[in-house]
Amino acid sequence: MPEPVKKAVSAFARKPKTQEAEEGSSVVFEAQTEKPDAKVKWQCNSKDIASGNKYVITADGNKHSLTIKAIAKEDATVFAVIAGGSKVKFELRVTSKTESPAKAPAEAPADAPDKAPVAPAEAPDKALEAPADPPADPPADAPDKAPVALEEQTPAPPAAAPTADVTPAPAHDTPPSDDSQPPDTRQDLTGLFTEKPQSGGVTVGENIIFVAKVNAESLLKKPTVKWFKGKWMDLASKSGKHLQLRESFDRNTKVHTFEMHILGAKPNFAGGYRCEVSSRDKFDSCNFDLVVHEARVSEGFDIRTAFRRTSTEGNEDSGELDFSTLLKKSSSFVKTSNRAAPVISEPELDVWDILSHAPASEYEKIAFQYGITDLRGMLKRLKKMKKEQKKSAAFLKKLDPAYQVTKGHKIKLAVEVANDDIEVKWKKNGQDIQPTGRFDFHFHVFNLYIFENVGNMRYLTINHCSLADDAAYCCTVGDEKCTTELFVKEPPVLIMKNLEDQMVMKGERVEFMCEVSEEGANAKWEKDGVELTRDESFKYRFKKDGCKHVLIINEASKEDCGHYRIKTNGGESVAELLVQEKELEVYQSIADLTVKAKDQAVFKCEVSDENVRGTWYKNGVEVKPDGRINITHIGRIHKLTIDNVKPEDEGDYTFVPDGYAFNLSAKLNFLEVKIDFVPRQDPPKIHLDCMGSTADSTIVVVAGNKLRLDVPITGDPAPMVIWTKGEKVVTEGDGRVHVETTKGHCVFTIEGAERQDEGMYSVVVRNPAGEDTADINVKVVDVPDPPQAPKILSVGEDSCVVQWDPPLFDGGQPIIGYVLERKKKKSYRWMRLNFDPYTEMTYEAKRMIEGVEYEMRVYAVNSIGMSRHSPASQPFVPVAPTSAPIGLCVEDINDTSISLKWRTPERIGAAELEGYGVEYCKEGTDEWIPAIQGLTERTSAIVRGLTTGDRLQFRVRAYNMAGPSAPATLAQPITIREIMQRPKIWLPRNLRQTVIKKVGDTVNLMIPFQGKPRPQVTWSKDGEPLSQKLASVRNSEADTILFIRTTEKTHSGRYDLHVQIENVEDTASVTLQIVDVPGPPVALQIIDIWGFNVALDWKPPRDNGNCEIIGYNVQKADKKTMEWFTVFEQYRRTNCVISDLIMGNEYVFRVFAINMVGLSPDACNTKDSAYIQKTGISYKPPAYKDPDFSEAPKFTHPLVNRSVIAGYNATLSCSVRGIPKPKVTWYKNKMDITHEAKYRMLSKHGVLTLEIRKPCPFDGGVYMCKAVNDSGEDIVECKLEVRPQVAKEEKKKDGLDARV
């Protein structure tokens, strides 16, 4: 099966390799991209390269190249090519020019094999002058270096090869030297890998390690890593002596490290490898290569070793020749692009292993691929290779395929070995488990791994299992091993602190925090059932801090509203997020002012949001602060203060909140007081327009604000001012009250007005010319008192209905609405349910979670502001009533009672089901009367005490803490009276057959029946009334029981049951058979004795145990020993012949009878004994009559009438059978044609054929075939019509006539 297509990790299909070139020469680096339209960028030392004199960059479709001309020493650096998100680095190595390449091999030191001379392609003559000794091979870790020799060079014989040792390939974790550094093929990490395995090389017999690292910080599940060789060879099953897979986990860095160890490398290990990592829906893979270099051999190659035989018998001439050794590729270099490039030899594959695992349909394809031409010999060898799997000789009991243990617990792995003294080795992921020291976990000291040997049992105990113990374990005995896999199950992660409901304004930051029972535990966040992940906009951020898990939402919007859920493997928690776009509320608007010259004018307003800024305008022009004008913003209060008011300050003033489409306006009136001087006394006068106690003349002040009464007065001389409230003169002794009199004005001020300051104030002005009085009504308004604790009227599945009473004091202003809040009982965060005041006093709160306990509270709102919150309501749980019970029906009814039954509702909900209520009402009325007191937990009920003849309707409702469910009602009213029901016996299926019991058993037969009124039940046995001494009978309304404590044979018989109501009855019969062991057979005697045989005969027992005799056991005994041996068991006949008796012995015989109960307790013995004579006997074979197989002839296929054309041969065929073979004669028109030359007669296996050669019309007629033998004869005939031929001219003429 082909490998499934995986997501490409690299944008390159072919990557540039590190190259080596001489000074002054040119070099070309080539790359090939996956997509033809990919943009490619070349870099040198991380700087972009542009095409010019030094560098030439070309692109042809998906092929890209970089040419570097006139190479100098400074060009020896690191280059890179970038396409998309992939970046590949490579190097250019510059060597000095070699002046005499022909002498270089001789002068090259043995420790520098990679400095071999390079023979340029443009100088082939110099290459031919090279010495016979070839240069040393390049090092194993640099397979991609520049070519060493030309293809035209003639290699020296093996004996002349240099003896310098090849430098072994460096290990994976050891950095290579500068002169042998492998090409850097690392790419930018765009997948799950933080470190990818790199290509490498190794010498035969040495070790190499490939390392892959994965960061699991963002993964919810442990990553799974698979190692492959080639396309689909999974290496997990190949772990053993030469391959080990290891893994480790660093809890600090959250990094998984996976290693593949290749030990004692072999040539066939070379090739392409792949590492795949997956975690849920995430996947990544990486390809890398392994090059295995053969160790240098000093002696030459012996061609005779290739011709080995497959036999293992020790005979050098036995077995078949195996030429697989000669199938290796001998050439190490191929010529490409006029340059010699090294070719990595393909790994040596075992063709027979491939054939043994391939289907038979692929044999020919594989043989052609690997050069096998002897297909017959190949199949013969494959047949020999197939052997049955042998049973393990080392293990009596192996490990189970898999084990599972909870994290923190211990587990014991056990195997049973065949040899008590043998030693076993335990391995974990292919690595030997070493005895560990002692560990202390919470003051409990124990060994992590414990090895035990008890007899044949070998135990491995793992204490305090952790996730690191989740691995594959192997027990090895010699060359045999058994493996298992241990799965460590993490304990459930519990929710210790639940999420809290939150309500925020649009644009605010939201944090949901939850605490779990274990640090570093994995959790999943969901919104309305959809899993949340990190997206590109970073809207959701997930944070872990020990046991705390935090979900952060930046700048919440309306789309973020919903239910957020965190899930672990042991629980979940839900919270709701509400995002509101709150409208700006005006708690106090600005008011019109009338001021005099040089006075102060203050415009003040209060809004709901203290963060809102605003702008003041006068007659549409923005007001700028200066020496007289001051603009302040403190909390929710905005003020505009104008000192030393002038006439030009008069106008319309407006406050506009930033970002809101409304404004607050007021007017400033300038009062200009003109006093004409009259040299006479003027009585005082109060100039007020708001005097009196009418609603229009009432001055309203908000509690806590300043009350300032500025009363203009006139009079000459200046009058004296007195302020009174009721009959009490108001003075400044309180500290809050200030009275000030200036020319033309008297000012009365109260700082922080309170509710008791409300009332009628009087101002009296006096001078010698008279006095004047004015009354001013002052009303102090405040926020209302908090309402009383709300009451929960009803609850639903996700809602509740709450009701409250208005506050006792409305603050002096009418209540404009209410604001409600709710919270979970165990939470401290209140969530507002409405921002606009709700005018009603009954509210339905929705979007709650069923089964969670909540509390509610209410605020009252008037034009001044919002009251304090009310006390919290009693805790309540939103639950919905269950669905209606189903399947309500009448089970039984009589004159005074009725029996009802039903099934539980389909939906119960979060609350427990408390019970069912049954009610009924009379037809024509609407009054439902409880049928039973309270609730019943059963799904059936009997309603008693009903009146005969009433027509009643019944209903059933299920109750939980939310109240009753919808009722389940009968389809129509029921009349209370007994219904006549015919008697019917429901005989069980097992009683319809004969009931067989052993003597002494107990019989308990229960037979249900029906019938109303209660039927009369009677039993009889064999037509006689049943005696109470024989059996006991118990009858009920619905069944009858026949009971026999101890059965005897006399209890056998037919028992009849009669169920009768008045003249109607029903009957049923039960046959009871009481069986016992049979008696012994009788009249056992010896009939005849001949040779070594004895013939016995007996009669059946007189007592068969009341059942059929199913056979006999026949036994014999030698009279000398009297040891009985069974000859026949369950023998069916009453006579038998016992053979193979010993000559000279005397025998006695006995027979037991067998029935379904068992053997008879006693046996019937022969009275006489049988003595086997020593004389022989003669045997006369019987005479048999020879069978007669003769059969009269019979035609099995007749002749068929035929019509043929003259001039063409014709045949007539038929078939005949008969014993002995019949004689066949052919006739034409009853004349024998046997000797006619025109006819040819054929006969083959009973098929007769008559061939007529070129018949003419004269040959037509009746043909007959006759078959004759000693047993009889048979004939068959047919008609033959011979039609004349039609000439071509006649045919044409006929055709023309037909057209005309």
Side-chain angles (χ1 to χ4, degrees), residues 730-754:
V730 180
T731 64
E732 296 187 8
D734 190 357
R736 296 188 302 115
V737 179
H738 303 281
V739 179
E740 181 182 358
T741 303
T742 60
K743 184 179 179 180
H745 285 273
C746 63
V747 180
F748 179 78
T749 306
I750 300 178
E751 298 287 346
E754 298 176 356

mmCIF file of all heavy atoms in Angstrom, residues 730-754:
data_model
loop_
_atom_site.group_PDB
_atom_site.id
_atom_site.type_symbol
_atom_site.label_atom_id
_atom_site.label_comp_id
_atom_site.label_asym_id
_atom_site.label_seq_id
_atom_site.Cartn_x
_atom_site.Cartn_y
_atom_site.Cartn_z
ATOM 1 N N VAL A 730 -33.217 80.842 61.385
ATOM 2 C CA VAL A 730 -32.038 80.098 60.934
ATOM 3 C C VAL A 730 -30.816 80.958 61.136
ATOM 4 O O VAL A 730 -30.762 82.110 60.670
ATOM 5 C CB VAL A 730 -32.172 79.695 59.463
ATOM 6 C CG1 VAL A 730 -30.941 78.921 59.014
ATOM 7 C CG2 VAL A 730 -33.432 78.876 59.246
ATOM 8 N N THR A 731 -29.871 80.426 61.874
ATOM 9 C CA THR A 731 -28.608 81.125 62.138
ATOM 10 C C THR A 731 -27.450 80.302 61.601
ATOM 11 O O THR A 731 -27.612 79.167 61.133
ATOM 12 C CB THR A 731 -28.448 81.360 63.651
ATOM 13 O OG1 THR A 731 -28.359 80.092 64.311
ATOM 14 C CG2 THR A 731 -29.604 82.162 64.207
ATOM 15 N N GLU A 732 -26.238 80.798 61.764
ATOM 16 C CA GLU A 732 -25.043 80.117 61.268
ATOM 17 C C GLU A 732 -24.416 79.210 62.308
ATOM 18 O O GLU A 732 -23.271 78.801 62.191
ATOM 19 C CB GLU A 732 -24.016 81.146 60.798
ATOM 20 C CG GLU A 732 -24.489 81.974 59.631
ATOM 21 C CD GLU A 732 -23.385 82.860 59.109
ATOM 22 O OE1 GLU A 732 -22.237 82.695 59.566
ATOM 23 O OE2 GLU A 732 -23.655 83.687 58.229
ATOM 24 N N GLY A 733 -25.104 78.884 63.328
ATOM 25 C CA GLY A 733 -24.518 78.057 64.389
ATOM 26 C C GLY A 733 -24.276 76.624 63.971
ATOM 27 O O GLY A 733 -23.478 75.910 64.574
ATOM 28 N N ASP A 734 -24.966 76.124 62.952
ATOM 29 C CA ASP A 734 -24.846 74.714 62.531
ATOM 30 C C ASP A 734 -23.502 74.435 61.873
ATOM 31 O O ASP A 734 -22.981 73.343 61.943
ATOM 32 C CB ASP A 734 -25.991 74.367 61.578
ATOM 33 C CG ASP A 734 -26.068 72.887 61.303
ATOM 34 O OD1 ASP A 734 -25.204 72.166 61.816
ATOM 35 O OD2 ASP A 734 -26.978 72.467 60.577
ATOM 36 N N GLY A 735 -22.920 75.389 61.233
ATOM 37 C CA GLY A 735 -21.676 75.145 60.498
ATOM 38 C C GLY A 735 -21.925 74.878 59.033
ATOM 39 O O GLY A 735 -21.053 75.111 58.208
ATOM 40 N N ARG A 736 -23.086 74.332 58.716
ATOM 41 C CA ARG A 736 -23.424 74.094 57.315
ATOM 42 C C ARG A 736 -24.184 75.265 56.715
ATOM 43 O O ARG A 736 -24.320 75.369 55.517
ATOM 44 C CB ARG A 736 -24.282 72.826 57.177
ATOM 45 C CG ARG A 736 -23.595 71.549 57.593
ATOM 46 C CD ARG A 736 -24.436 70.316 57.239
ATOM 47 N NE ARG A 736 -25.752 70.353 57.850
ATOM 48 C CZ ARG A 736 -26.899 70.429 57.162
ATOM 49 N NH1 ARG A 736 -26.865 70.498 55.843
ATOM 50 N NH2 ARG A 736 -28.070 70.453 57.777
ATOM 51 N N VAL A 737 -24.741 76.114 57.570
ATOM 52 C CA VAL A 737 -25.607 77.202 57.118
ATOM 53 C C VAL A 737 -24.802 78.498 57.122
ATOM 54 O O VAL A 737 -24.090 78.801 58.089
ATOM 55 C CB VAL A 737 -26.850 77.328 58.029
ATOM 56 C CG1 VAL A 737 -27.730 78.468 57.561
ATOM 57 C CG2 VAL A 737 -27.601 76.024 58.056
ATOM 58 N N HIS A 738 -24.919 79.220 56.024
ATOM 59 C CA HIS A 738 -24.262 80.518 55.883
ATOM 60 C C HIS A 738 -25.278 81.537 55.383
ATOM 61 O O HIS A 738 -25.984 81.269 54.400
ATOM 62 C CB HIS A 738 -23.080 80.441 54.904
ATOM 63 C CG HIS A 738 -22.055 79.413 55.291
ATOM 64 N ND1 HIS A 738 -21.110 79.622 56.268
ATOM 65 C CD2 HIS A 738 -21.832 78.139 54.820
ATOM 66 C CE1 HIS A 738 -20.352 78.561 56.388
ATOM 67 N NE2 HIS A 738 -20.784 77.625 55.512
ATOM 68 N N VAL A 739 -25.347 82.702 56.077
ATOM 69 C CA VAL A 739 -26.240 83.786 55.673
ATOM 70 C C VAL A 739 -25.368 84.993 55.387
ATOM 71 O O VAL A 739 -24.551 85.412 56.234
ATOM 72 C CB VAL A 739 -27.277 84.107 56.774
ATOM 73 C CG1 VAL A 739 -28.167 85.261 56.339
ATOM 74 C CG2 VAL A 739 -28.113 82.879 57.078
ATOM 75 N N GLU A 740 -25.517 85.543 54.204
ATOM 76 C CA GLU A 740 -24.683 86.660 53.769
ATOM 77 C C GLU A 740 -25.571 87.717 53.136
ATOM 78 O O GLU A 740 -26.452 87.393 52.329
ATOM 79 C CB GLU A 740 -23.629 86.161 52.774
ATOM 80 C CG GLU A 740 -22.698 87.257 52.296
ATOM 81 C CD GLU A 740 -21.706 86.713 51.259
ATOM 82 O OE1 GLU A 740 -21.758 85.486 50.984
ATOM 83 O OE2 GLU A 740 -20.913 87.510 50.739
ATOM 84 N N THR A 741 -25.323 88.986 53.527
ATOM 85 C CA THR A 741 -26.111 90.100 52.978
ATOM 86 C C THR A 741 -25.153 91.091 52.339
ATOM 87 O O THR A 741 -24.172 91.524 52.970
ATOM 88 C CB THR A 741 -26.929 90.789 54.077
ATOM 89 O OG1 THR A 741 -27.773 89.828 54.700
ATOM 90 C CG2 THR A 741 -27.782 91.900 53.488
ATOM 91 N N THR A 742 -25.401 91.391 51.087
ATOM 92 C CA THR A 742 -24.621 92.385 50.352
ATOM 93 C C THR A 742 -25.576 93.426 49.801
ATOM 94 O O THR A 742 -26.808 93.304 49.959
ATOM 95 C CB THR A 742 -23.852 91.708 49.203
ATOM 96 O OG1 THR A 742 -24.782 91.086 48.321
ATOM 97 C CG2 THR A 742 -22.870 90.665 49.742
ATOM 98 N N LYS A 743 -25.011 94.392 49.170
ATOM 99 C CA LYS A 743 -25.850 95.446 48.608
ATOM 100 C C LYS A 743 -26.693 94.882 47.476
ATOM 101 O O LYS A 743 -26.169 94.401 46.483
ATOM 102 C CB LYS A 743 -24.971 96.595 48.090
ATOM 103 C CG LYS A 743 -25.789 97.774 47.570
ATOM 104 C CD LYS A 743 -24.871 98.873 47.088
ATOM 105 C CE LYS A 743 -25.699 100.039 46.542
ATOM 106 N NZ LYS A 743 -24.829 101.154 46.048
ATOM 107 N N GLY A 744 -27.985 94.903 47.684
ATOM 108 C CA GLY A 744 -28.894 94.418 46.658
ATOM 109 C C GLY A 744 -29.147 92.924 46.694
ATOM 110 O O GLY A 744 -29.960 92.419 45.933
ATOM 111 N N HIS A 745 -28.487 92.169 47.564
ATOM 112 C CA HIS A 745 -28.663 90.711 47.594
ATOM 113 C C HIS A 745 -28.589 90.224 49.021
ATOM 114 O O HIS A 745 -27.848 90.766 49.851
ATOM 115 C CB HIS A 745 -27.582 89.988 46.786
ATOM 116 C CG HIS A 745 -27.776 90.089 45.328
ATOM 117 N ND1 HIS A 745 -28.535 89.223 44.609
ATOM 118 C CD2 HIS A 745 -27.301 91.008 44.428
ATOM 119 C CE1 HIS A 745 -28.526 89.547 43.329
ATOM 120 N NE2 HIS A 745 -27.773 90.655 43.191
ATOM 121 N N CYS A 746 -29.341 89.150 49.271
ATOM 122 C CA CYS A 746 -29.166 88.366 50.489
ATOM 123 C C CYS A 746 -29.051 86.909 50.078
ATOM 124 O O CYS A 746 -29.857 86.414 49.312
ATOM 125 C CB CYS A 746 -30.299 88.588 51.473
ATOM 126 S SG CYS A 746 -31.918 88.075 50.884
ATOM 127 N N VAL A 747 -27.979 86.240 50.525
ATOM 128 C CA VAL A 747 -27.669 84.867 50.090
ATOM 129 C C VAL A 747 -27.794 83.945 51.288
ATOM 130 O O VAL A 747 -27.174 84.205 52.345
ATOM 131 C CB VAL A 747 -26.259 84.788 49.481
ATOM 132 C CG1 VAL A 747 -25.978 83.366 49.036
ATOM 133 C CG2 VAL A 747 -26.113 85.765 48.328
ATOM 134 N N PHE A 748 -28.574 82.867 51.091
ATOM 135 C CA PHE A 748 -28.749 81.822 52.113
ATOM 136 C C PHE A 748 -28.159 80.529 51.544
ATOM 137 O O PHE A 748 -28.605 80.046 50.500
ATOM 138 C CB PHE A 748 -30.234 81.670 52.443
ATOM 139 C CG PHE A 748 -30.492 80.589 53.461
ATOM 140 C CD1 PHE A 748 -30.264 80.818 54.819
ATOM 141 C CD2 PHE A 748 -30.973 79.347 53.079
ATOM 142 C CE1 PHE A 748 -30.522 79.837 55.747
ATOM 143 C CE2 PHE A 748 -31.218 78.364 53.997
ATOM 144 C CZ PHE A 748 -30.994 78.601 55.349
ATOM 145 N N THR A 749 -27.150 79.957 52.207
ATOM 146 C CA THR A 749 -26.437 78.776 51.686
ATOM 147 C C THR A 749 -26.434 77.671 52.730
ATOM 148 O O THR A 749 -26.162 77.932 53.922
ATOM 149 C CB THR A 749 -24.990 79.128 51.331
ATOM 150 O OG1 THR A 749 -24.997 80.251 50.423
ATOM 151 C CG2 THR A 749 -24.278 77.958 50.676
ATOM 152 N N ILE A 750 -26.721 76.436 52.275
ATOM 153 C CA ILE A 750 -26.609 75.233 53.112
ATOM 154 C C ILE A 750 -25.642 74.284 52.400
ATOM 155 O O ILE A 750 -25.910 73.847 51.273
ATOM 156 C CB ILE A 750 -27.970 74.548 53.333
ATOM 157 C CG1 ILE A 750 -28.949 75.497 54.023
ATOM 158 C CG2 ILE A 750 -27.790 73.274 54.148
ATOM 159 C CD1 ILE A 750 -30.339 74.904 54.232
ATOM 160 N N GLU A 751 -24.530 73.968 53.036
ATOM 161 C CA GLU A 751 -23.550 73.037 52.476
ATOM 162 C C GLU A 751 -24.006 71.602 52.711
ATOM 163 O O GLU A 751 -24.294 71.224 53.847
ATOM 164 C CB GLU A 751 -22.183 73.256 53.131
ATOM 165 C CG GLU A 751 -21.602 74.624 52.914
ATOM 166 C CD GLU A 751 -21.107 74.819 51.499
ATOM 167 O OE1 GLU A 751 -20.982 73.795 50.761
ATOM 168 O OE2 GLU A 751 -20.848 75.959 51.117
ATOM 169 N N GLY A 752 -24.047 70.782 51.630
ATOM 170 C CA GLY A 752 -24.431 69.370 51.767
ATOM 171 C C GLY A 752 -25.851 69.211 52.254
ATOM 172 O O GLY A 752 -26.071 68.802 53.402
ATOM 173 N N ALA A 753 -26.797 69.549 51.406
ATOM 174 C CA ALA A 753 -28.197 69.485 51.804
ATOM 175 C C ALA A 753 -28.578 68.076 52.221
ATOM 176 O O ALA A 753 -28.122 67.083 51.626
ATOM 177 C CB ALA A 753 -29.083 69.961 50.657
ATOM 178 N N GLU A 754 -29.405 67.982 53.279
ATOM 179 C CA GLU A 754 -29.887 66.715 53.785
ATOM 180 C C GLU A 754 -31.402 66.694 53.728
ATOM 181 O O GLU A 754 -32.053 67.719 53.456
ATOM 182 C CB GLU A 754 -29.394 66.502 55.216
ATOM 183 C CG GLU A 754 -27.874 66.432 55.340
ATOM 184 C CD GLU A 754 -27.433 66.309 56.772
ATOM 185 O OE1 GLU A 754 -28.320 66.358 57.667
ATOM 186 O OE2 GLU A 754 -26.219 66.147 57.009
#
